[in-house]
């Protein structure tokens, strides 16, 4: 990863950070970045900004970083919400990483009729979740924390924001996404919702629900994509267009 992720509460006197040898970030600085005392490290302070910190102490017990300068925040985050039918844990890891990489505003995992509810027992959707998000922040320098919502029970359709929000269901049977909406015109205030179904496709009653509720059904292409590839295809289109505004 390119960045070290820090919470504002970890900064001492608004200036220094102490990272103990029991911390994965200690191992990353030492073994991956191969930094030494006096060298700088790029730091993401969530909800604050990007910074350069200089290593002012480095021994076998602790690394002390001292704030040197603030960097310009270059990443334009992607102002969308995403709903996903609960993916298998290995796919969930990739989704969380991509979500934090690109700065998706919010991701929701929801149980649907076709999904294995045992997936919820995975630490990916529990104690490991923050680690997978941090891997995304650390990859791109994203400073905006992702909101993650988990709907484990109940009818997932009732969790949709049917209060005038822009909602799009993604399915290969739908109309071309690129033809139907202009991703480059997505507003940071509107933050549309994109719904991803199971890899096997939405059930017939789901598709009928979308038609009844006048939720457009859009397609990323006519081939059957794995969830993580479909997810990346959408957010990359949004990302490219946000970069060219």
């Amino acid at each position: 990863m390119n960045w070290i992720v820090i919470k504002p509460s970890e900064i001492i006197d608004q200036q220094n950070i102490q990272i103990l040898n029991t911390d994965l970030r200690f191992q990353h600085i030492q073994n991956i970045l191969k930094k030494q005392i006096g060298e700088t490290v790029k730091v993401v302070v969530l909800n604050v900004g990007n910074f350069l910190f200089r290593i002012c102490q480095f021994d076998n017990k602790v690394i002390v970083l001292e704030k040197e300068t603030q960097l310009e925040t270059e990443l334009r985050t992607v102002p969308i919400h995403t709903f996903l039918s609960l993916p298998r844990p290995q796919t969930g890891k990739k989704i969380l990483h991509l979500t934090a990489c690109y700065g998706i505003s919010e991701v929701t995992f929801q149980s649907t009729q076709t999904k294995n509810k045992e997936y919820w027992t995975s630490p990916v959707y529990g104690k490991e979740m923050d680690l997978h998000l941090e891997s995304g922040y650390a990859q791109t320098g994203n400073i905006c924390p992702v909101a993650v919502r988990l709907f484990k029970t109940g009818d997932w359709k009732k969790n949709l924001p049917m209060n005038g929000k822009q909602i799009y269901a993604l399915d290969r049977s739908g109309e071309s996404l690129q033809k139907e909406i202009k991703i480059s015109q997505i507003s940071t205030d509107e933050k549309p919702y994109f719904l991803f179904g199971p890899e096997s496709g939405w059930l017939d009653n789901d598709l009928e629900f979308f038609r009844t509720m006048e939720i457009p059904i859009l397609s990323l292409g006519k081939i059957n994509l794995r969830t993580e590839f479909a997810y990346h295809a959408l957010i990359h289109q949004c990302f490219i267009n946000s970069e060219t505004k």
Side-chain angles (χ1 to χ4, degrees), residues 42-55:
K42 293 193 295 184
V43 172
V44 173
V45 182
L46 292 175
N47 266 331
V48 179
N50 297 138
F51 298 85
L52 276 182
F53 276 68
R54 188 168 297 279
I55 301 173

PDB file of all heavy atoms in Angstrom, residues 42-55:
ATOM      1  N   LYS A  42       3.903   8.806   3.642  1.00  0.00           N
ATOM      2  CA  LYS A  42       2.638   9.440   3.274  1.00  0.00           C
ATOM      3  C   LYS A  42       1.530   8.906   4.186  1.00  0.00           C
ATOM      4  O   LYS A  42       1.396   7.693   4.350  1.00  0.00           O
ATOM      5  CB  LYS A  42       2.298   9.167   1.812  1.00  0.00           C
ATOM      6  CG  LYS A  42       3.253   9.831   0.836  1.00  0.00           C
ATOM      7  CD  LYS A  42       2.721   9.820  -0.583  1.00  0.00           C
ATOM      8  CE  LYS A  42       2.589   8.422  -1.152  1.00  0.00           C
ATOM      9  NZ  LYS A  42       2.167   8.444  -2.572  1.00  0.00           N
ATOM     10  N   VAL A  43       0.778   9.824   4.767  1.00  0.00           N
ATOM     11  CA  VAL A  43      -0.202   9.464   5.782  1.00  0.00           C
ATOM     12  C   VAL A  43      -1.587   9.986   5.402  1.00  0.00           C
ATOM     13  O   VAL A  43      -1.736  11.139   4.994  1.00  0.00           O
ATOM     14  CB  VAL A  43       0.208  10.027   7.163  1.00  0.00           C
ATOM     15  CG1 VAL A  43      -0.907   9.815   8.193  1.00  0.00           C
ATOM     16  CG2 VAL A  43       1.496   9.363   7.648  1.00  0.00           C
ATOM     17  N   VAL A  44      -2.584   9.115   5.538  1.00  0.00           N
ATOM     18  CA  VAL A  44      -3.989   9.494   5.419  1.00  0.00           C
ATOM     19  C   VAL A  44      -4.533   9.691   6.828  1.00  0.00           C
ATOM     20  O   VAL A  44      -4.521   8.758   7.631  1.00  0.00           O
ATOM     21  CB  VAL A  44      -4.813   8.390   4.725  1.00  0.00           C
ATOM     22  CG1 VAL A  44      -6.302   8.730   4.775  1.00  0.00           C
ATOM     23  CG2 VAL A  44      -4.353   8.186   3.303  1.00  0.00           C
ATOM     24  N   VAL A  45      -4.978  10.886   7.137  1.00  0.00           N
ATOM     25  CA  VAL A  45      -5.694  11.124   8.388  1.00  0.00           C
ATOM     26  C   VAL A  45      -7.168  11.226   8.020  1.00  0.00           C
ATOM     27  O   VAL A  45      -7.593  12.187   7.371  1.00  0.00           O
ATOM     28  CB  VAL A  45      -5.224  12.401   9.102  1.00  0.00           C
ATOM     29  CG1 VAL A  45      -5.970  12.565  10.432  1.00  0.00           C
ATOM     30  CG2 VAL A  45      -3.720  12.348   9.345  1.00  0.00           C
ATOM     31  N   LEU A  46      -7.930  10.214   8.373  1.00  0.00           N
ATOM     32  CA  LEU A  46      -9.315  10.126   7.937  1.00  0.00           C
ATOM     33  C   LEU A  46     -10.113  11.348   8.359  1.00  0.00           C
ATOM     34  O   LEU A  46     -10.024  11.820   9.490  1.00  0.00           O
ATOM     35  CB  LEU A  46      -9.957   8.853   8.501  1.00  0.00           C
ATOM     36  CG  LEU A  46      -9.410   7.535   7.936  1.00  0.00           C
ATOM     37  CD1 LEU A  46     -10.029   6.349   8.664  1.00  0.00           C
ATOM     38  CD2 LEU A  46      -9.657   7.425   6.440  1.00  0.00           C
ATOM     39  N   ASN A  47     -10.876  11.835   7.416  1.00  0.00           N
ATOM     40  CA  ASN A  47     -11.744  13.002   7.616  1.00  0.00           C
ATOM     41  C   ASN A  47     -10.972  14.315   7.767  1.00  0.00           C
ATOM     42  O   ASN A  47     -11.572  15.352   8.051  1.00  0.00           O
ATOM     43  CB  ASN A  47     -12.666  12.833   8.827  1.00  0.00           C
ATOM     44  CG  ASN A  47     -14.017  12.266   8.432  1.00  0.00           C
ATOM     45  OD1 ASN A  47     -14.487  12.467   7.326  1.00  0.00           O
ATOM     46  ND2 ASN A  47     -14.630  11.542   9.347  1.00  0.00           N
ATOM     47  N   VAL A  48      -9.651  14.259   7.600  1.00  0.00           N
ATOM     48  CA  VAL A  48      -8.828  15.464   7.765  1.00  0.00           C
ATOM     49  C   VAL A  48      -8.071  15.800   6.487  1.00  0.00           C
ATOM     50  O   VAL A  48      -8.255  16.869   5.900  1.00  0.00           O
ATOM     51  CB  VAL A  48      -7.847  15.323   8.943  1.00  0.00           C
ATOM     52  CG1 VAL A  48      -6.976  16.578   9.071  1.00  0.00           C
ATOM     53  CG2 VAL A  48      -8.607  15.079  10.246  1.00  0.00           C
ATOM     54  N   GLY A  49      -7.162  14.907   6.042  1.00  0.00           N
ATOM     55  CA  GLY A  49      -6.392  15.205   4.850  1.00  0.00           C
ATOM     56  C   GLY A  49      -5.226  14.259   4.656  1.00  0.00           C
ATOM     57  O   GLY A  49      -5.054  13.282   5.384  1.00  0.00           O
ATOM     58  N   ASN A  50      -4.432  14.560   3.639  1.00  0.00           N
ATOM     59  CA  ASN A  50      -3.221  13.804   3.314  1.00  0.00           C
ATOM     60  C   ASN A  50      -2.003  14.584   3.788  1.00  0.00           C
ATOM     61  O   ASN A  50      -1.941  15.807   3.618  1.00  0.00           O
ATOM     62  CB  ASN A  50      -3.112  13.562   1.806  1.00  0.00           C
ATOM     63  CG  ASN A  50      -4.235  12.713   1.251  1.00  0.00           C
ATOM     64  OD1 ASN A  50      -4.771  12.995   0.184  1.00  0.00           O
ATOM     65  ND2 ASN A  50      -4.618  11.665   1.963  1.00  0.00           N
ATOM     66  N   PHE A  51      -1.025  13.862   4.338  1.00  0.00           N
ATOM     67  CA  PHE A  51       0.130  14.518   4.935  1.00  0.00           C
ATOM     68  C   PHE A  51       1.409  13.739   4.661  1.00  0.00           C
ATOM     69  O   PHE A  51       1.376  12.539   4.340  1.00  0.00           O
ATOM     70  CB  PHE A  51      -0.035  14.624   6.466  1.00  0.00           C
ATOM     71  CG  PHE A  51      -1.211  15.442   6.903  1.00  0.00           C
ATOM     72  CD1 PHE A  51      -2.470  14.871   7.000  1.00  0.00           C
ATOM     73  CD2 PHE A  51      -1.065  16.790   7.207  1.00  0.00           C
ATOM     74  CE1 PHE A  51      -3.567  15.626   7.407  1.00  0.00           C
ATOM     75  CE2 PHE A  51      -2.152  17.554   7.620  1.00  0.00           C
ATOM     76  CZ  PHE A  51      -3.402  16.966   7.716  1.00  0.00           C
ATOM     77  N   LEU A  52       2.524  14.441   4.793  1.00  0.00           N
ATOM     78  CA  LEU A  52       3.825  13.797   4.917  1.00  0.00           C
ATOM     79  C   LEU A  52       4.232  13.854   6.387  1.00  0.00           C
ATOM     80  O   LEU A  52       4.198  14.918   7.001  1.00  0.00           O
ATOM     81  CB  LEU A  52       4.881  14.502   4.064  1.00  0.00           C
ATOM     82  CG  LEU A  52       4.995  14.139   2.586  1.00  0.00           C
ATOM     83  CD1 LEU A  52       6.149  14.923   1.955  1.00  0.00           C
ATOM     84  CD2 LEU A  52       5.201  12.644   2.382  1.00  0.00           C
ATOM     85  N   PHE A  53       4.597  12.695   6.933  1.00  0.00           N
ATOM     86  CA  PHE A  53       5.147  12.625   8.286  1.00  0.00           C
ATOM     87  C   PHE A  53       6.576  12.107   8.190  1.00  0.00           C
ATOM     88  O   PHE A  53       6.869  11.231   7.379  1.00  0.00           O
ATOM     89  CB  PHE A  53       4.331  11.670   9.160  1.00  0.00           C
ATOM     90  CG  PHE A  53       3.099  12.289   9.778  1.00  0.00           C
ATOM     91  CD1 PHE A  53       2.020  12.667   8.990  1.00  0.00           C
ATOM     92  CD2 PHE A  53       3.029  12.487  11.151  1.00  0.00           C
ATOM     93  CE1 PHE A  53       0.883  13.217   9.557  1.00  0.00           C
ATOM     94  CE2 PHE A  53       1.898  13.043  11.734  1.00  0.00           C
ATOM     95  CZ  PHE A  53       0.825  13.405  10.939  1.00  0.00           C
ATOM     96  N   ARG A  54       7.457  12.659   9.004  1.00  0.00           N
ATOM     97  CA  ARG A  54       8.850  12.218   9.020  1.00  0.00           C
ATOM     98  C   ARG A  54       9.080  11.277  10.200  1.00  0.00           C
ATOM     99  O   ARG A  54       8.551  11.484  11.296  1.00  0.00           O
ATOM    100  CB  ARG A  54       9.796  13.409   9.114  1.00  0.00           C
ATOM    101  CG  ARG A  54      11.278  13.029   8.935  1.00  0.00           C
ATOM    102  CD  ARG A  54      12.138  14.265   8.756  1.00  0.00           C
ATOM    103  NE  ARG A  54      11.770  14.991   7.541  1.00  0.00           N
ATOM    104  CZ  ARG A  54      12.185  14.647   6.320  1.00  0.00           C
ATOM    105  NH1 ARG A  54      12.978  13.601   6.149  1.00  0.00           N
ATOM    106  NH2 ARG A  54      11.824  15.373   5.270  1.00  0.00           N
ATOM    107  N   ILE A  55       9.872  10.227   9.960  1.00  0.00           N
ATOM    108  CA  ILE A  55      10.196   9.270  11.015  1.00  0.00           C
ATOM    109  C   ILE A  55      11.269   9.876  11.912  1.00  0.00           C
ATOM    110  O   ILE A  55      12.403  10.088  11.475  1.00  0.00           O
ATOM    111  CB  ILE A  55      10.689   7.933  10.427  1.00  0.00           C
ATOM    112  CG1 ILE A  55       9.614   7.323   9.518  1.00  0.00           C
ATOM    113  CG2 ILE A  55      11.063   6.963  11.543  1.00  0.00           C
ATOM    114  CD1 ILE A  55      10.062   6.084   8.767  1.00  0.00           C
TER     115      ILE A  55
END
